[in-house]
Amino acid sequence: MARDEQLKDRWERVQKKLSDQFADGDLMELDAIIYLIGVQELGQPHKRYKKDHKIDLMHIAICTLLEPYGYYEFDFYDEDGWPHFKIKEELPTLKAGEQSVLMKEAIVQYFMEKEYIS
C-alpha cells in the first residue's frame, strides 16, 4: 500500500474509532481530535475547561504530537500539573493542506504508539 493510502486508511480508522467513542458516531474533525489528545496528555479528563484552557489543551497536544519530529521538547510541569514545552526548531512554513497532512500523520503515529490502532 502506498504511503499516502496507508496514512489515509489509518487516519480514517482513528477518526472513526474516536468518533464512535466520544461523539456518538458523528465524525470528529482534526481540531476536535487534537483537543482530545490535549485532555489525554493533561490527565484531567473529567474537568470542564473554559475557552482559554481549550486553546492551551490544543497547544499541549500539538507540542506532544510534534515532539517526535524534533520541533518541541518537554520542559516541565507547572504547579497545576500542566506540561510546558520549549521550541527546539521552528516549524517550516507549510500550506494548509501540508499542515493537515503533518498533523494527521502525527496523530496516527501517536495512536499507534498508544496501541489504540494497529
Side-chain angles (χ1 to χ4, degrees), residues 31 48 67 81 90 109:
D31 286 348
R48 286 203 176 268
E67 188 175 24
E90 290 292 327
Q109 191 62 38

Side-chain angles (χ1 to χ4, degrees), residues 95-116:
K95 295 176 186 161
E98 294 169 328
Q99 288 176 358
S100 178
V101 169
L102 175 62
M103 292 312 299
K104 287 177 181 179
E105 186 178 273
I107 289 168
V108 164
Q109 191 62 38
Y110 175 87
F111 283 111
M112 288 179 70
E113 287 174 8
K114 301 280 184 196
E115 299 181 353
Y116 188 73

Side-chain angles (χ1 to χ4, degrees), residues 16-71:
K16 174 155 180 27
K17 193 169 180 180
L18 288 172
S19 297
D20 290 345
Q21 188 174 352
F22 294 103
D24 296 326
D26 292 337
L27 201 58
M28 292 179 69
E29 297 296 326
L30 182 63
D31 286 348
I33 293 171
I34 290 170
Y35 171 76
L36 274 179
I37 292 169
V39 171
Q40 170 72 23
E41 289 299 311
L42 181 60
Q44 300 175 15
H46 302 293
K47 195 173 174 184
R48 286 203 176 268
Y49 297 100
K50 295 180 180 171
K51 186 177 181 178
D52 290 350
H53 283 143
K54 289 180 181 180
I55 292 167
D56 293 340
L57 287 164
M58 292 179 77
H59 178 71
I60 290 169
I62 291 167
C63 291
T64 299
L65 291 167
L66 297 181
E67 188 175 24
Y69 292 81
Y71 295 113

